[in-house]
């Protein structure tokens, strides 16, 4: 049975070329980049090369890139770092109700410690309206954080418009661009952001490494203290192999981006148009066009979502019920709730996120298998309900 992995929003496989680039940095060029002998200096040079490649993919200067342990740390550094460094100017932060937990949780953490947080609503497509950002700003606002694209429903937010508002009011603007960097064009100046989070493992790089772009002059307090690394913005001996892999991943992504974006959009739109023709009571979540090229998210009524995912798994199709984080709980996704969905539509969602190795045959296979699976799951659910009511027999 062919395995079809359709959960690229959760993580991506590391490209063999990237693994190859990383290998020497485990046991050949293994020196500490802070050491002055040649082993260390070679590792340091490798880090600086990777820094330039990562900077290149977001249109920034190398010195504005700080390596971290991933998207979660970058978001924490952006939110907590900007809050602490600018506390003397105010205590108000604006974010949205559909952010990743790695933005929402640091906001809640600050809220418990005296900060005021506004969680902006979104429309039925998951779009944040720039006007609502404008109206939420007060004299005390020190930070605005709006994600570039949502990891569950794929909606791409009007970041450049919000960036213009933030700039006019001289407020630090952060975007969580973990789902967009390496997939669609991202340019820190066009977007008008001061802080931007990136994660390597969402663009075919290794897990446990990421970066934050910090515009020159942006005041940020570090979270991790204890060394001179990353110009004191993030202490700790660098993850050299990881950073090298991240750099390579950025380079490959940049080379393939336009072509890959087009290819995936066609495959995505095939699923979006054909699935509702083959399955009843299925609805697209997120914006029909302002969405990530690889994201399909649909609510399916009259199913048990765990049962559906198990059945798909047994057919070799690996998909998710939304975000990786909420699929283990039975809580409806905070994103779907924010889109105004209730009941079954908020609980029974299916997210298919395509990637570099996804091809037309895979899409055909999904179009074949998914309707059968839904039928089966619906029949099983009816049987289970019947059993529960004691009326089978
Ligand atoms: C995956 C993800 C993160 C977390 O990144 P990690 O590198 O896994 O910590 C943050 N934000 C978004 C939108 C994501 O999709």
């Amino acid at each position: 049975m062919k395995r079809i992995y359709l959960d690229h929003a959760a993580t991506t496989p590391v490209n063999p070329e990237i693994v190859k680039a990383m290998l020497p940095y485990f046991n050949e060029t293994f020196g500490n980049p802070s050491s002055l002998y040649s082993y260390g200096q070679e590792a340091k040079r490798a880090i600086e090369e990777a820094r330039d490649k990562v900077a290149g993919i977001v249109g920034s200067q190398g010195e504005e890139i700080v390596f971290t342990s991933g998207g979660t740390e970058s978001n924490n550094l952006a939110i907590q770092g900007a809050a602490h460094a600018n506390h003397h100017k105010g205590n108000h932060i604006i974010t949205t109700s559909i952010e990743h937990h790695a933005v929402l949780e640091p906001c809640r953490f600050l809220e418990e410690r005296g900060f005021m947080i506004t969680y902006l609503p979104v429309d039925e497509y998951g779009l944040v309206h720039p006007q609502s950002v404008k109206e939420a700003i007060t004299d005390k606002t020190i930070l605005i954080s709006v994600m570039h694209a949502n990891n569950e429903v794929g909606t791409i937010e009007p970041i450049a418009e919000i960036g213009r508002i933030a700039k006019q009011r001289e407020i630090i603007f952060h975007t969580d661009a973990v789902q967009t960097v390496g997939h669609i064009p991202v340019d820190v100046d066009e977007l008008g952001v001061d802080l931007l989070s990136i994660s390597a493992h969402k663009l075919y790089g290794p897990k446990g490494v990421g970066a934050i772009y910090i515009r020159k002059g942006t005041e940020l307090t570090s979270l991790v203290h204890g060394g001179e690394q990353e110009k004191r913005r993030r202490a700790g001996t660098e993850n050299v192999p990881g950073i090298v892999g991240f750099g390579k991943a950025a380079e490959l992504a940049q080379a393939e981006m336009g072509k890959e974006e087009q290819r995936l959009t066609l495959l995505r739109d095939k699923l979006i148009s054909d699935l509702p023709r083959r399955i009843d009571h299925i609805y697209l979540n997120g914006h029909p066009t302002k969405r990530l090229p690889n994201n399909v998210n649909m609510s399916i009524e009259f199913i048990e979502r765990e049962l559906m995912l198990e059945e798909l798994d047994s057919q070799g199709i690996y998909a998710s019920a939304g975000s990786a984080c909420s699929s283990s709980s039975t809580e409806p996704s905070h994103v779907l709730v924010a889109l105004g969905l209730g009941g079954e539509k908020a609980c029974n969602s299916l997210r298919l996120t395509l990637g570099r190795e996804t091809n037309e045959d895979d899409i055909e296979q999904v179009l074949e298998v998914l309707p059968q699976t839904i039928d089966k799951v619906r029949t099983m659910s009816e049987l289970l309900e019947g059993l529960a009511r004691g009326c089978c027999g």
Side-chain angles (χ1 to χ4, degrees):
M1 187 174 61
K2 191 185 173 203
R3 291 155 177 250
I4 304 178
Y5 178 78
L6 293 175
D7 203 12
H8 291 83
T11 195
T12 53
V14 182
N15 189 305
E17 211 178 318
I18 292 171
V19 175
K20 200 167 146 222
M22 292 170 69
L23 284 177
Y25 294 92
F26 285 101
N27 54 4
E28 286 172 29
T29 314
F30 63 87
N32 190 318
S34 299
S35 303
L36 294 178
Y37 41 79
S38 56
Y39 265 10
Q41 288 307 298
E42 269 180 54
K44 172 128 193 81
R45 270 197 298 278
I47 290 178
E48 294 318 313
E49 251 178 58
R51 196 186 305 283
D52 285 340
K53 288 174 186 170
V54 172
I57 205 174
V58 295
S60 82
Q61 304 286 317
E63 63 202 277
E64 295 170 304
I65 297 292
V66 170
F67 288 114
T68 66
S69 66
T72 301
E73 186 186 331
S74 296
N75 283 344
N76 270 272
L77 178 52
I79 307 283
Q80 297 195 59
H84 290 309
N86 296 280
H87 200 13
H88 61 286
K89 294 183 195 156
N91 68 342
H92 180 230
I93 296 171
I94 299 171
T95 187
T96 82
S97 49
I98 61 162
E99 298 297 313
H100 191 276
H101 288 291
V103 164
L104 291 177
E105 294 294 324
C107 283
R108 291 210 183 95
F109 178 83
L110 290 170
E111 205 168 10
E112 285 162 11
R113 283 158 185 79
F115 284 85
M116 305 282 290
I117 318 283
T118 300
Y119 301 93
L120 293 175
V122 294
D123 69 14
E124 60 190 303
Y125 300 115
L127 281 171
V128 177
H129 286 234
Q131 186 62 25
S132 74
V133 177
K134 205 173 195 169
E135 285 163 9
I137 295 173
T138 73
D139 294 346
K140 298 261 183 284
T141 309
I142 51 172
L143 174 69
I144 299 171
S145 179
V146 178
M147 71 199 318
H148 193 191
N150 183 267
N151 49 302
E152 290 191 36
V153 296
T155 302
I156 299 172
E157 302 296 343
I159 297 302
E161 274 180 74
I162 299 169
R164 281 193 285 276
I165 294 167
K167 185 160 191 166
Q168 224 169 33
R169 303 291 300 262
E170 291 178 37
I171 298 166
I172 297 175
F173 184 31
H174 165 250
T175 191
D176 173 349
V178 169
Q179 288 290 335
T180 53
V181 172
H183 301 277
I184 62 173
V186 172
D187 183 291
V188 291
D189 291 331
E190 274 170 31
L191 294 178
V193 294
D194 303 300
L195 302 167
L196 179 142
S197 305
I198 319 173
S199 173
H201 77 99
K202 304 285 175 84
L203 55 124
Y204 304 88
K207 293 171 184 60
V209 59
I212 178 170
Y213 156 78
I214 306 174
R215 184 178 293 280
K216 234 173 276 167
T218 309
E219 301 264 4
L220 215 61
T221 306
S222 359
L223 296 184
V224 184
H225 308 271
E228 303 279 330
Q229 294 91 350
E230 300 298 291
K231 301 209 178 101
R232 300 189 70 91
R233 292 172 296 188
R234 202 275 190 176
T237 302
E238 299 88 338
N239 173 2
V240 183
I243 289 171
V244 168
F246 184 11
K248 189 79 190 164
E251 187 184 348
L252 292 179
Q254 195 158 22
E256 291 183 9
M257 194 180 318
K259 204 172 76 220
E260 189 60 3
E261 195 185 340
Q262 270 187 332
R263 191 184 72 86
L264 289 174
T265 302
L266 288 175
L267 297 180
R268 174 197 79 185
D269 288 345
K270 179 144 184 70
L271 285 175
I272 290 178
S273 67
D274 285 13
L275 283 174
R277 294 197 191 123
R278 300 181 188 208
I279 300 168
D280 290 334
H281 306 288
I282 183 168
Y283 312 90
L284 180 69
N285 294 320
H287 198 278
T289 55
K290 289 174 189 160
R291 74 186 297 131
L292 289 169
N294 74 333
N295 174 294
V296 176
N297 184 309
M298 295 197 160
S299 286
I300 308 172
E301 285 178 317
F302 315 117
I303 56 154
E304 307 256 344
R305 123 184 133 167
E306 268 71 36
L307 216 53
M308 169 184 69
L309 293 175
E310 276 170 34
E311 278 297 316
L312 285 176
D313 186 354
S314 74
Q315 300 279 339
I317 296 175
Y318 307 117
S320 141
S323 77
C325 330
S326 62
S327 57
S328 57
S329 68
T330 46
E331 290 284 297
S333 128
H334 69 284
V335 176
L336 296 182
V337 170
L339 264 60
L341 300 188
E344 282 219 42
K345 282 187 188 166
C347 288
N348 292 332
S349 57
L350 173 68
R351 182 185 72 180
L352 305 172
T353 45
L354 326 183
R356 232 176 242 164
E357 69 286 12
T358 313
N359 59 31
E360 278 179 43
D361 288 346
D362 297 341
I363 301 303
E364 286 306 328
Q365 181 75 2
V366 171
L367 285 169
E368 178 102 12
V369 169
L370 193 57
Q372 293 166 11
T373 305
I374 301 294
D375 267 354
K376 183 168 171 190
V377 171
R378 280 180 177 157
T379 316
M380 281 161 83
S381 304
E382 275 167 32
L383 281 176
L384 288 174
E385 270 169 39
L387 276 176
R389 284 196 306 269
C391 62
C392 272

